Amino acid sequence: MLLLNDDYTPMDFVIVVLQKYFGMDRERATRVMLQVHREGMGICGTFPRDIATTKVEQVASFARQHQHPLACVMEEN
């Protein structure tokens, strides 16, 4: 699963998403957030399809509730 960079979502919000939905500690979440910021995307985990689908929906819903355009996508191996 990947988080995609945008010019509007605050870095702190991305860290919260990584902690809340992907079980990362603050240090790891910060590293992934910086990768998203610098490289345009960051890997937030590998999950079975049904769990990944749920996480994509959860992140999209949470971001919308907070009026951020943060996108989380699945990529198949």
Side-chain angles (χ1 to χ4, degrees), residues 2-76:
L2 302 170
L3 280 182
L4 306 181
N5 189 43
D6 63 71
D7 293 332
Y8 305 101
T9 304
M11 291 178 179
D12 284 342
F13 184 80
V14 175
I15 291 170
V16 168
V17 165
L18 290 166
Q19 291 176 303
K20 182 177 176 84
Y21 295 102
F22 300 99
M24 295 183 190
D25 61 27
R26 186 157 181 91
E27 184 180 334
R28 179 157 180 240
T30 300
R31 283 198 309 270
V32 173
M33 176 277 296
L34 288 171
Q35 181 185 23
V36 171
H37 179 68
R38 292 181 183 133
E39 300 173 25
M41 67 180 69
I43 298 169
C44 44
T46 303
F47 304 93
R49 181 190 300 269
D50 56 336
I51 293 172
T53 301
T54 299
K55 287 187 180 292
V56 165
E57 291 167 2
Q58 288 173 326
V59 170
S61 176
F62 187 67
R64 272 195 312 273
Q65 286 171 19
H66 291 75
Q67 300 176 340
H68 297 307
L70 183 64
C72 181
V73 298
M74 293 189 315
E75 187 177 81
E76 295 196 31

